[in-house]
Amino acid sequence: MSKKVLLIMMSILCATVLGIGIYGYSLYSSLNKTTESIYEPLERGETSKLREKKPDEDDPVSILLLGIDARPGERGRTDTIMVMTINPQQNNAYLLSIPRDTRTEIVGRGVQDKINHAYAFGGIDMTIDTVENFLDIPIDYYALVNMEGFVSIIDILGGVTVEVTQNFDYEGYSFREGEMTMDGQAALAYSRMRKQDPRGDFGRNDRQRQIIMALVNEAASVKTLWKMDAIMEVIEANVRTNKSQEDINRLSKHYLDAARNIESLTLHGQGQMINGIYYFIVDEGERQRIQSILKDHMQLNE
């Protein structure tokens, strides 16, 4: 199984980072070691140029979730890009998938290119600048995941349970309508299938989000306490973030309930060949529609 296949599930580990934090107070020493290992601040500092100050504890925030295929000696590209906005006052979260082939301005390069190329050109800082420009919202935090640990993290938690909405067979697994508990390999297969889904990539994105929400619930359960050491080990090896220990404690205390109440957003567009290269084209009206939804959710229009 190629590493690239795992990238579509990067948000699983990112969700786990949010989910385990609520129990961090009782395991402070272990959590502190892990957060120190995965902490990588941004060149810009703590605050986006689109904010006047760092969000207070009850302000809406945004998290950029990125999955990379990082081979030795290579920076890699972000093959999965998701933005989560969390509003603790409304007690909900929005999750937007940005197709990796989306054509947009790469900030700092002055060219129109695929959005996932920003990471190859300029790392996490250029990626955040590009996503902020595309969505016109501040990105407060990021979580960058190398998907080596995907299958392991689900298996450590004892699997995830989702409501299957379509019968299909894929990669040796049979999925039937109704509630189903899946181990890591089965969850990977469930999230990968595209061609049998009449909604194509959009249907696959919805299944990915199902896995995210299921994993958040598993990671926030009491039984996770007994598996924390193994979870921390996987996170240390596979996650990088600008969330400090203080940030994670604050997010866990004030944002976790809202982060478990996720609503999916869909970015509409169409495929187009330009100079022999495939791009996903989002027209300006659609981009403004998504921007408005996210700005309202983050209370930036008030």
Side-chain angles (χ1 to χ4, degrees):
M1 183 177 299
S2 69
K3 288 196 294 184
K4 190 171 183 179
V5 167
L6 298 177
L7 295 172
I8 60 173
M9 294 306 302
M10 51 72 56
S11 50
I12 299 304
L13 289 178
C14 299
T16 303
V17 173
L18 287 174
I20 65 173
I22 195 169
Y23 299 109
Y25 299 106
S26 61
L27 296 165
Y28 182 84
S29 178
S30 177
L31 181 59
N32 188 57
K33 177 179 176 293
T34 298
T35 55
E36 288 180 355
S37 298
I38 68 177
Y39 179 64
E40 288 191 1
L42 296 168
E43 292 180 2
R44 74 180 190 192
E46 291 188 350
T47 308
S48 166
K49 62 180 180 296
L50 297 181
R51 281 198 185 276
E52 295 182 356
K53 63 182 181 65
K54 190 173 181 177
D56 292 328
E57 65 180 26
D58 61 346
D59 288 338
V61 299
S62 64
I63 303 173
L64 178 63
L65 311 174
L66 301 170
I68 62 168
D69 182 8
R71 297 180 176 86
E74 297 180 0
R75 173 176 281 169
R77 291 180 179 174
T78 48
D79 282 348
T80 304
I81 305 170
M82 294 185 180
V83 174
M84 177 182 285
T85 59
I86 310 173
N87 188 320
Q89 299 169 35
Q90 297 181 12
N91 195 37
N92 69 347
Y94 287 165
L95 185 64
L96 172 71
S97 296
I98 304 177
R100 64 183 185 177
D101 295 326
T102 300
R103 193 168 192 265
T104 190
E105 178 187 353
I106 306 299
V107 176
R109 297 278 292 190
V111 298
Q112 295 283 321
D113 204 340
K114 296 184 179 184
I115 196 167
N116 73 325
H117 288 188
Y119 186 76
F121 291 145
I124 187 63
D125 290 274
M126 185 174 287
T127 300
I128 287 178
D129 287 344
T130 297
V131 172
E132 285 189 336
N133 183 66
F134 181 70
L135 296 177
D136 196 29
I137 63 169
I139 298 297
D140 299 306
Y141 303 104
Y142 78 89
L144 179 70
V145 179
N146 187 315
M147 285 310 299
E148 289 283 349
F150 162 66
V151 172
S152 295
I153 200 72
I154 289 186
D155 288 340
I156 288 170
L157 291 174
V160 291
T161 301
V162 301
E163 188 74 21
V164 178
T165 60
Q166 175 187 351
N167 294 335
F168 66 93
D169 298 322
Y170 193 70
E171 293 188 344
Y173 294 93
S174 292
F175 301 97
R176 296 295 178 263
E177 292 184 14
E179 189 175 274
M180 181 175 179
T181 299
M182 307 174 190
D183 63 14
Q185 294 287 358
L188 179 63
Y190 180 73
S191 65
R192 287 184 63 199
M193 190 277 289
R194 176 174 58 89
K195 293 184 179 180
Q196 298 180 53
D197 195 312
R199 299 176 62 226
D201 283 332
F202 295 114
R204 181 173 62 179
N205 287 343
D206 283 345
R207 290 193 302 279
Q208 291 176 22
R209 295 185 187 103
Q210 278 186 293
I211 299 295
I212 293 170
M213 290 182 278
L215 187 54
V216 168
N217 289 331
E218 288 294 332
S221 67
V222 173
K223 66 182 180 182
T224 302
L225 284 169
W226 310 109
K227 305 172 182 179
M228 194 64 70
D229 287 344
I231 292 172
M232 294 296 185
E233 184 177 343
V234 174
I235 290 175
E236 284 185 35
N238 294 283
V239 177
R240 293 295 178 267
T241 182
N242 66 329
K243 301 185 193 80
S244 65
Q245 175 69 68
E246 179 183 354
D247 292 328
I248 290 178
N249 286 344
R250 182 171 64 87
L251 289 169
S252 300
K253 183 177 181 181
H254 298 283
Y255 294 80
L256 183 60
D257 285 344
R260 295 173 66 177
N261 186 20
I262 300 175
E263 179 179 340
S264 300
L265 299 179
T266 299
L267 185 65
H268 298 292
Q270 59 184 3
Q272 183 177 335
M273 299 296 293
I274 300 176
N275 297 325
I277 300 174
Y278 174 85
Y279 294 95
F280 182 76
I281 305 299
V282 179
D283 67 37
E284 188 59 24
E286 171 65 4
R287 190 163 73 111
Q288 290 179 4
R289 181 186 72 86
I290 289 293
Q291 288 176 352
S292 179
I293 292 173
L294 295 177
K295 286 180 179 180
D296 285 344
H297 193 237
M298 294 185 69
Q299 298 175 353
L300 298 174
N301 287 331
E302 296 181 358

